[in-house]
Amino acid sequence: MAARVSTIWFLGGADARTELSKYPQPDQTEALKIAMSLYPDKEFESLGPQPLSMAATVSPGYVFVGAYGRVSVVCSSELSTFVPSKLPESWHLSAEGGSTLLISSVPETAQGSFALWENGELRRSFSAIPIDIVENLGIPQTWELEFWAGNHPLRYPPGILPDPQSLPFHPQQFAESANLEWLGFRYTGAPREHELDTTQILLWGFKIHRPGEALKPAPPAPVPVPEQAPTEIPMPENMPPIHDAPAAKPRGRLARYFGFK
């Protein structure tokens, strides 16, 4: 996965793929409620609906929330963690009987991470860069087997030897497959058959502010000054015609030079 992704999903006993395939509209009131529960000491400026394809690349100072009944998602830069098992419990919002899914991908470090909690218990957690596994907890999922078997090897340019510690797959591609298996879509490439379209999944965006921080108003647009046609000055009646005054003749040596006497 070459895309930047920083998301956590809360499934209240619902099948995410089925629920998201309806492309439901995000609930603004519930989205703000979730944002306030995660950042209780902050204030928020609404940015309106934004597609998941953009929201997943969230920058610091922003949060995007999609609330669709029994399925919710939060995009925050704080979720780009190397150790998913250390994620604070305040981020575990799934109700009893639900699941929490973390998907993180950081292109700058080639890091890929994912984690699964069920009923509040961590079932699977993985995080790595191409030459080092940072965390590998729980029993691997069935869909992981082809990666561990070497069916998705890292590719190197001609003449470049692989690092002896290289994994048999790219961690970002591994995280992308977790996202596809659990949620039904990928962030890279056009959607394939039966895959969801991230440009059609909408989240509500918020800019995060400190309490009392004044929002900077947009600068006023310049007011165009209309061009005016030159005003004609009326001439008095019976006014004699105006003739150009004769040019002064040069005198002295200049006069003789130009042929004046």
Side-chain angles (χ1 to χ4, degrees):
M1 173 189 311
R4 173 179 293 278
V5 177
S6 190
T7 63
I8 191 166
W9 294 79
F10 311 105
L11 314 179
D15 179 72
R17 187 190 298 256
T18 301
E19 296 293 326
L20 294 174
S21 65
K22 304 171 186 176
Y23 297 112
Q25 291 297 311
D27 186 327
Q28 180 183 7
T29 301
E30 185 63 23
L32 180 58
K33 180 180 177 181
I34 293 175
M36 293 175 65
S37 69
L38 294 171
Y39 302 94
D41 57 342
K42 302 296 183 181
E43 296 177 350
F44 303 90
E45 174 189 357
S46 175
L47 303 176
Q50 307 290 333
L52 177 60
S53 55
M54 183 278 293
T57 66
V58 58
S59 300
Y62 296 84
V63 64
F64 296 86
V65 183
Y68 324 101
R70 296 185 297 166
V71 174
S72 300
V73 58
V74 176
C75 301
S76 168
S77 60
E78 296 182 36
L79 298 169
S80 296
T81 174
F82 265 110
V83 188
S85 65
K86 301 298 183 182
L87 189 70
E89 290 188 2
S90 60
W91 284 94
H92 299 177
L93 300 181
S94 289
E96 184 177 351
S99 302
T100 300
L101 311 174
L102 171 70
I103 306 292
S104 173
S105 176
V106 183
E108 292 82 357
T109 58
Q111 172 232 338
S113 304
F114 60 85
L116 166 65
W117 290 264
E118 292 180 344
N119 300 321
E121 297 292 332
L122 181 64
R123 299 299 185 189
R124 182 73 175 110
S125 177
F126 180 86
S127 180
I129 57 176
I131 60 172
D132 186 26
I133 295 178
V134 179
E135 182 167 82
N136 187 21
L137 303 177
I139 300 175
Q141 304 280 298
T142 303
W143 60 266
E144 297 183 36
L145 298 181
E146 63 180 46
F147 283 88
W148 294 110
N151 295 338
H152 300 276
L154 285 166
R155 300 182 182 277
Y156 294 87
I160 302 297
L161 297 177
D163 190 291
Q165 296 182 331
S166 294
L167 274 65
F169 51 79
H170 197 295
Q172 289 185 283
Q173 186 181 6
F174 202 26
E176 175 105 292
S177 293
N179 198 94
L180 178 61
E181 177 68 23
W182 291 335
L183 300 168
F185 62 86
R186 296 172 299 115
Y187 287 97
T188 57
R192 299 168 184 163
E193 188 178 4
H194 305 306
E195 292 183 2
L196 303 180
D197 186 349
T198 57
T199 64
Q200 302 300 314
I201 301 175
L202 300 180
L203 288 73
W204 210 272
F206 300 97
K207 182 172 175 56
I208 304 173
H209 296 280
R210 294 188 299 269
E213 183 179 31
L215 304 182
K216 294 182 179 180
V223 179
V225 179
E227 296 183 359
Q228 296 182 351
T231 304
E232 296 185 0
I233 302 176
M235 300 295 290
E237 296 182 359
N238 303 324
M239 182 175 180
I242 298 176
H243 301 282
D244 292 337
K249 295 181 179 181
R251 300 179 180 179
R253 288 182 298 173
L254 289 178
R256 289 192 298 273
Y257 179 81
F258 284 102
F260 292 99
K261 295 181 180 181

